[in-house]
Amino acid sequence: MKIRAAHIQGFGKFMDETFNFSPGLNIIFGNNEAGKTTLRNFLFHMLYGQKKYGVKKRIYLPVQELYSPWNHYTYQGILRYTLGDTSYSIERNFHSDFEEVRVFKEDRGEDISTLFPTDIRKELQFMKEQIGLSERAFKNTVLIEQNEMVGLLYQNKENIFEELVGKVVYSIEGEKGQKTIRDIIGSLEKDKKEIGTPKNKRSLLGIAYENLRKMGEKKYNIENERESYYQDQEFLIEIVEQEKRLEIKEQKLYLNKEYLESQNLRDKIKTIEEILYEKQELEKYINRNFPFSIQQSSLEKIQREREKNHHINRKFTLLCGAFIGIGILFALWWLIFPYPILQLPLVLLSILLGAWGLLRKENLNKKSKALFEQLDKVNQYQDALKELQRLQERLKEETKEYSFEDLKNKMKALEVNRETNFIPSCRDLYSIELELEEIQKQKKDLLEERVYLEVKIKNSKWNPMTLEEVEEEIFAIEKKIKEMEDNIQAIDITISTFEKLENDEKTRWLPSITKQIQETIYKITKKYHIIKIDEQYKIKTVDPYSGRLISIDELSWGTFCQFYFAMRMSLVQLLSPKPICLPMILDEPFIYFDDERFEESMKLLKDLSKQHQIIILTSQYREKQYVDQNNYQYEYIELK
């Protein structure tokens, strides 16, 4: 099996990145936090998904949420690999809501997903069908993590091979002391029964789950109280801030109102001053232009005298005309029939009467003119009096609420209280008063709400120490449950492992395993070439210096790690389902190796890369430096 390429559309820190792999040796370099573990887990989860193994329902592992991209919705990828001469590709969407995996044959682009079964977790078992390894077996065979190289998964070196077979093949640790598989299975079943199940309320696991449920309810109630408490605190702070903002806004509106009122007062005072000035000037005009006689005159009396004079004037006009006409007739009579003694007196009398009439008419005209002028004066005086009366009424209207002096005093007070840096707005007084009324209403509502929240906060039962204690207790219970469930899972896998070992007669592998380890360890150490593994999986070797058969737990720590590395490599080779050669993915495999052991191990990997794909994830430069110095063909990927 060769992994050809990985296209990560969204997984952890990687977004839309493609990594191509060589069928032989591959080195992936990256500093801490560069994404080596993320890339390794992407390869594994593309093949086997992210669901918990060994359970009867779909439960996602914590990595499902851990590797979900933070700033992108795409959580999927494509993996291309070959089995023999056939190329395949996997397209997987990791979103739990619409998870999907599809397998294609690349030569024809054929979707072959329906050819593979799904397990009870609804996980497509295409890899198990293709290479015969479950996800546990694949993970513990193909993936070699850095901690394994320092023996953190085992503590008793004399039983290292027994533990390694259990871990690599079936992900368990063999129990010390038992000589048969049946003894191990019986002991494990007894341990499992003691732990019990979540549904059994009297078992250890059932009691733990019941306690967890109760503490979860308690935590939920406390968190609700905390949420309510902090929410009320935030609301209270917001209300206080709103009150402050309303207070500032109200002050500004009051300043604008006072400014507009002062402007109105100023205009009012100016209007009153103009009225007073006009009244004063009008009184002066009356006193100066209208004597007492005019002021005392009656407009109707003058009008009657004027009409009477006009009537008399008309009569005298007719009379003068008659006298003149008679005089003209006497004159004509005199010219035609002269009789001076009689005619002369008549002509003279007519002339005298006409002259008297004209003089009288002239006097009447003068009197009429005088009456007209007197009437005009009286009219002017009456108009002036009306204007004066109008001004007095206006003055009375303007000083109806406050006297002129009161208005001036009020104006002075407003001028004193006004801020020097005040900038008036362009609003009218009516809109300001409406907004002030609305602010008063809002302040009243906020005051009621603030008082309510203050009382509620004061009476709150929230106590941060209580939540901390509950969380610590929940953490302890969850840890205990996880330990018991892990134990149950390990027991189930162990039982299955040893049953399979017994049924498939895997113990017959010992000669092959012994031979393979023997060849591998010699390639690394150049001195240990005889290996003995007994029925109890105890490993012994011949000391090249003394010729004595010794247990490998008597060797130095560095040599012991070399033996472990050789066993892992050998088991991968033997467990590869022929003709398929499984890849080997090593995460920081040589971090504790000295230069000599490192070089020999790299030579071994170089030889293995002829059949097995080797992928080394490292934060050291010496792997690249070594293969460059020895002109090895390899693919180099550097993670930033």
Side-chain angles (χ1 to χ4, degrees):
M1 177 182 177
K2 315 290 184 185
I3 298 174
R4 292 168 46 223
H7 177 56
I8 305 179
Q9 294 165 291
F11 190 90
K13 67 174 286 183
F14 296 113
M15 296 298 301
D16 195 22
E17 294 196 40
T18 300
F19 301 96
N20 295 309
F21 299 94
S22 163
L25 183 62
N26 297 266
I27 297 176
I28 301 175
F29 172 80
N31 294 318
N32 291 336
E33 306 298 329
K36 300 187 297 297
T37 302
T38 301
L39 179 56
R40 183 199 71 191
N41 286 337
F42 174 80
L43 298 177
F44 175 72
H45 293 306
M46 281 296 294
L47 297 173
Y48 287 99
Q50 296 175 321
K51 300 183 186 72
K52 194 172 183 180
Y53 180 73
V55 295
K56 295 183 179 181
K57 59 181 179 179
R58 185 170 60 177
I59 300 175
Y60 286 95
L61 296 167
V63 295
Q64 200 277 336
E65 183 176 353
L66 176 66
Y67 289 118
S68 178
W70 288 3
N71 301 319
H72 199 280
Y73 193 69
T74 303
Y75 189 16
Q76 59 191 33
I78 301 173
L79 186 69
R80 294 183 169 86
Y81 64 97
T82 59
L83 289 173
D85 297 329
T86 307
S87 295
Y88 299 91
S89 66
I90 308 166
E91 296 180 2
R92 185 183 288 271
N93 190 326
F94 291 103
H95 280 288
S96 58
D97 292 336
F98 38 89
E99 181 185 19
E100 183 183 23
V101 58
R102 300 170 68 189
V103 183
F104 296 88
K105 267 190 176 181
E106 288 200 330
D107 55 349
R108 299 194 300 269
E110 178 186 1
D111 187 346
I112 59 172
S113 306
T114 56
L115 301 179
F116 304 106
T118 57
D119 62 9
I120 196 169
R121 304 169 302 160
K122 297 183 179 180
E123 182 64 46
L124 194 65
Q125 298 295 297
F126 61 93
M127 285 307 296
K128 190 171 183 180
E129 293 291 317
Q130 287 182 332
I131 64 175
L133 293 181
S134 67
E135 59 188 89
R136 286 279 182 169
F138 183 92
K139 183 176 183 180
N140 294 316
T141 303
V142 173
L143 302 180
I144 304 173
E145 300 181 14
Q146 61 185 31
N147 290 338
E148 297 182 44
M149 303 312 297
V150 295
L152 293 182
L153 300 180
Y154 51 84
Q155 298 181 3
N156 195 340
K157 293 197 292 182
E158 66 179 7
N159 295 302
I160 179 61
F161 189 70
E162 181 182 8
E163 295 181 18
L164 187 57
V165 168
K167 172 180 172 50
V168 171
V169 181
Y170 299 103
S171 308
I172 61 167
E173 294 185 3
E175 196 174 314
K176 316 302 182 293
Q178 284 100 356
K179 296 182 179 180
T180 66
I181 293 176
R182 284 292 97 197
D183 291 338
I184 296 175
I185 292 174
S187 176
L188 291 173
E189 286 177 340
K190 183 178 178 181
D191 292 341
K192 180 180 177 182
K193 187 175 181 180
E194 288 179 357
I195 296 172
T197 63
K199 292 183 179 180
N200 186 354
K201 303 298 182 181
R202 296 182 180 181
S203 67
L204 294 175
L205 190 58
I207 293 171
Y209 265 105
E210 181 63 19
N211 292 336
L212 182 63
R213 184 190 65 79
K214 291 178 180 179
M215 295 308 297
E217 290 179 354
K218 188 173 182 180
K219 180 184 177 184
Y220 176 80
N221 294 331
I222 293 174
E223 285 179 337
N224 283 342
E225 290 175 359
R226 179 188 64 180
E227 185 69 22
S228 177
Y229 177 85
Y230 285 122
Q231 196 174 52
D232 290 341
Q233 288 279 18
E234 292 176 358
F235 287 160
L236 183 59
I237 293 171
E238 178 61 26
I239 286 173
V240 172
E241 291 297 323
Q242 288 183 33
E243 287 180 327
K244 289 180 181 179
R245 291 194 293 269
L246 285 176
E247 191 69 29
I248 294 171
K249 189 175 182 180
E250 186 180 43
Q251 290 177 359
K252 290 182 179 180
L253 287 173
Y254 271 120
L255 288 173
N256 274 287
K257 182 181 178 182
E258 289 177 357
Y259 171 79
L260 291 176
E261 287 178 347
S262 67
Q263 290 294 101
N264 291 341
L265 284 174
R266 186 179 288 108
D267 294 339
K268 197 175 190 70
I269 290 171
K270 183 177 180 181
T271 300
I272 293 173
E273 287 176 344
E274 289 175 354
I275 292 172
L276 289 173
Y277 175 79
E278 289 179 13
K279 181 173 176 292
Q280 186 179 5
E281 290 297 315
L282 186 57
E283 288 174 345
K284 288 179 181 179
Y285 170 78
I286 290 172
N287 293 331
R288 184 172 60 250
N289 292 287
F290 303 105
F292 182 77
S293 59
I294 295 297
Q295 296 179 18
Q296 296 298 318
S297 298
S298 172
L299 189 64
E300 289 79 11
K301 184 178 178 181
I302 296 172
Q303 185 67 30
R304 286 196 301 271
E305 287 182 3
R306 187 167 177 267
E307 289 176 356
K308 181 180 178 182
N309 186 71
H310 180 67
H311 182 67
I312 295 170
N313 191 14
R314 285 180 63 191
K315 288 181 179 181
F316 272 98
T317 300
L318 293 173
L319 184 61
C320 289
F323 285 149
I324 291 172
I326 292 171
I328 292 172
L329 289 174
F330 282 145
L332 290 174
W333 181 34
W334 186 8
L335 291 174
I336 298 172
F337 303 104
Y339 190 62
I341 295 174
L342 180 59
Q343 295 174 337
L344 181 61
L346 291 173
V347 171
L348 290 174
L349 180 61
S350 298
I351 292 171
L352 288 174
L353 289 172
W356 176 78
L358 290 173
L359 290 173
R360 183 65 177 168
K361 185 175 183 344
E362 181 65 25
N363 289 332
L364 288 173
N365 286 335
K366 287 181 180 181
K367 185 178 180 180
S368 179
K369 184 177 180 182
L371 287 172
F372 177 79
E373 290 176 354
Q374 185 180 8
L375 180 63
D376 183 62
K377 280 284 185 178
V378 171
N379 279 327
Q380 291 179 11
Y381 173 73
Q382 292 291 335
D383 292 338
L385 285 178
K386 289 179 181 179
E387 180 63 18
L388 184 61
Q389 185 178 5
R390 186 185 66 80
L391 291 174
Q392 288 174 341
E393 289 175 354
R394 280 188 63 194
L395 183 61
K396 183 178 179 182
E397 181 65 25
E398 293 293 338
T399 57
K400 180 170 62 177
E401 294 181 1
Y402 300 99
S403 67
F404 184 53
E405 290 300 323
D406 290 339
L407 289 173
K408 289 196 289 185
N409 292 333
K410 194 174 181 181
M411 181 66 189
K412 289 179 181 178
L414 289 173
E415 292 289 343
V416 170
N417 294 331
R418 186 185 305 160
E419 294 179 2
T420 55
N421 59 348
F422 169 71
I423 300 175
S425 66
C426 300
R427 300 177 58 183
D428 61 281
L429 187 60
Y430 177 75
S431 65
I432 290 176
E433 288 176 343
L434 287 178
E435 189 167 358
L436 283 171
E437 289 178 2
E438 181 63 26
I439 287 175
Q440 290 296 329
K441 182 180 177 182
Q442 292 177 9
K443 286 177 67 177
K444 182 181 178 182
D445 295 338
L446 288 174
L447 177 61
E448 292 175 355
E449 193 170 352
R450 176 164 58 85
V451 171
Y452 168 77
L453 288 174
E454 287 173 347
V455 172
K456 187 179 178 183
I457 290 170
K458 185 177 179 181
N459 297 329
S460 174
K461 297 180 181 179
W462 153 244
N463 184 353
M465 293 302 297
T466 305
L467 179 61
E468 185 176 345
E469 292 169 359
V470 170
E471 287 178 336
E472 288 176 356
E473 191 166 350
I474 288 175
F475 176 79
I477 295 173
E478 288 177 337
K479 183 178 179 182
K480 186 176 180 181
I481 289 173
K482 186 177 185 303
E483 289 174 355
M484 288 189 286
E485 289 182 336
D486 288 345
N487 286 338
I488 290 174
Q489 186 175 357
I491 290 170
D492 288 337
I493 296 172
T494 304
I495 292 172
S496 174
T497 297
F498 285 106
E499 287 176 345
K500 190 171 182 64
L501 281 171
E502 185 177 45
N503 296 333
D504 296 344
E505 298 181 351
K506 292 293 186 180
T507 51
R508 291 185 300 174
W509 291 357
L510 280 176
S512 300
I513 293 175
T514 302
K515 181 180 179 182
Q516 187 67 54
I517 294 175
Q518 192 168 265
E519 293 176 357
T520 303
I521 195 63
Y522 182 72
K523 289 180 181 178
I524 297 176
T525 63
K526 301 300 184 184
K527 56 182 179 180
Y528 296 102
H529 60 279
I530 298 176
I531 302 294
K532 302 289 184 180
I533 302 177
D534 60 21
E535 293 180 355
Q536 296 180 354
Y537 298 119
K538 301 296 187 293
I539 304 177
K540 295 182 180 180
T541 185
V542 175
D543 186 347
Y545 302 108
S546 65
R548 185 169 61 91
L549 191 65
I550 60 174
S551 176
I552 64 170
D553 61 325
E554 298 180 26
L555 300 173
S556 67
W557 179 252
T559 305
F560 183 78
C561 287
Q562 285 180 309
F563 266 84
Y564 179 82
F565 182 72
M567 286 187 283
R568 285 301 306 260
M569 298 298 103
S570 300
L571 287 171
V572 173
Q573 295 176 72
L574 290 171
L575 291 174
S576 293
K578 306 304 179 193
I580 298 172
C581 293
L582 294 176
M584 300 179 186
I585 303 175
L586 301 95
D587 190 354
E588 298 284 8
F590 309 121
I591 194 168
Y592 295 103
F593 279 31
D594 59 25
D595 290 340
E596 182 179 354
R597 294 188 179 99
F598 163 74
E599 291 178 2
E600 295 301 330
S601 299
M602 286 297 295
K603 290 178 183 177
L604 172 63
L605 292 179
K606 174 63 173 61
D607 291 339
L608 291 175
S609 68
K610 295 175 183 178
Q611 292 183 319
H612 298 265
Q613 184 181 40
I614 308 295
I615 299 175
I616 302 174
L617 298 103
T618 180
S619 59
Q620 302 181 87
Y621 287 104
R622 61 177 181 171
E623 287 87 348
K624 184 177 187 305
Q625 291 173 352
Y626 178 81
V627 295
D628 286 340
Q629 290 172 3
N630 291 275
N631 296 319
Y632 289 173
Q633 294 293 321
Y634 71 102
E635 181 72 24
Y636 181 72
I637 298 173
E638 184 171 352
L639 303 178
K640 304 295 184 180

